[in-house]
Amino acid sequence: AQTSSQLGPISVLVNNVANDQRHEFEKVTPEDFDWRVNINLRPHFFAAQAVAQEMKKLGGGSIINLGSTSWKIKGKGYPVYATCKSATVGLTRSLARELGTDNIRVNTLTPGWIMTDKQLDQWVDEAGERAMDENQCLPGRIVGSDVANLALFLAADDSRMITKQSFIVDAGLA
């Protein structure tokens, strides 16, 4: 409501929420599990719900749910995060059917390992660099603009007949 009042009707939602804090499977408590789901999945659902009526009034819109290749590559050390990011695909497919008759497109944008400051500071090490070099089909590293450019396409009318899809930006890693 606050965003609509400041910027006008919302026709595009980029659902980009995540906390990929590492956690051990054996040490996850029910409270910890709920905390992680509340960060990594719940906002996708309720943000979509919050904008759907406005998009219907506009005659359509685009919802772009950000996933992660973490569950596709069988990443270790963040099982609740990976579970939530895999659930994003199911949410996308369900909402595409729910909202499609109102001309609202819903897609998943699934990035690989994006070289953000946080990732470079906390997780990218020599072994990670080597794994990317050995497993990516394309040389180089994924940066934010690689993902943003696809989000812009999915937000634009150029993608007017694309819904229920999952797009992976990972240089061919997963």
Side-chain angles (χ1 to χ4, degrees):
Q2 181 182 2
T3 300
S4 289
S5 70
Q6 291 177 354
L7 302 176
I10 297 171
S11 62
V12 175
L13 171 65
V14 178
N15 256 331
N16 184 18
V17 295
N19 182 324
D20 65 349
Q21 182 184 65
R22 302 317 190 248
H23 52 280
E24 294 178 39
F25 168 71
E26 295 84 7
K27 295 183 179 178
V28 174
T29 65
E31 296 78 21
D32 186 43
F33 182 90
D34 290 346
W35 178 81
R36 293 177 193 285
V37 170
N38 283 337
I39 290 173
N40 292 302
L41 182 59
R42 184 178 179 176
H44 281 73
F45 184 95
F46 288 105
Q49 186 184 67
V51 301
Q53 290 305 315
E54 205 165 300
M55 288 181 178
K56 288 176 184 180
K57 289 177 190 172
L58 290 171
S62 178
I63 297 173
I64 304 159
N65 293 319
L66 269 283
S68 170
T69 59
S70 61
W71 66 276
K72 289 180 161 290
I73 63 170
K74 300 169 287 304
K76 185 178 179 183
Y78 41 66
V80 181
Y81 172 79
T83 298
C84 291
K85 290 306 179 178
S86 69
T88 302
V89 175
L91 178 62
T92 291
R93 294 176 65 86
S94 177
L95 292 182
R97 176 55 77 187
E98 292 277 336
L99 302 173
T101 56
D102 293 299
N103 204 32
I104 299 170
R105 305 179 316 278
V106 187
N107 291 289
T108 302
L109 198 169
T110 304
W113 203 357
I114 305 170
M115 297 296 104
T116 63
D117 290 341
K118 176 186 171 188
Q119 295 300 316
L120 291 168
D121 291 343
Q122 293 183 13
W123 309 117
V124 178
D125 57 14
E126 188 176 312
E129 293 277 1
R130 191 170 44 256
M132 286 183 276
D133 289 339
E134 292 171 359
N135 296 302
Q136 287 183 182
C137 296
L138 297 172
R141 298 296 180 256
I142 301 162
V143 295
S145 60
D146 297 319
V147 178
N149 288 334
L150 183 53
L152 288 170
F153 169 74
L154 293 172
D157 289 341
D158 294 342
S159 66
R160 71 179 192 86
M161 293 303 288
I162 300 173
T163 195
K164 194 184 66 78
Q165 302 305 309
S166 248
F167 296 90
I168 301 171
V169 179
D170 74 346
L173 181 67

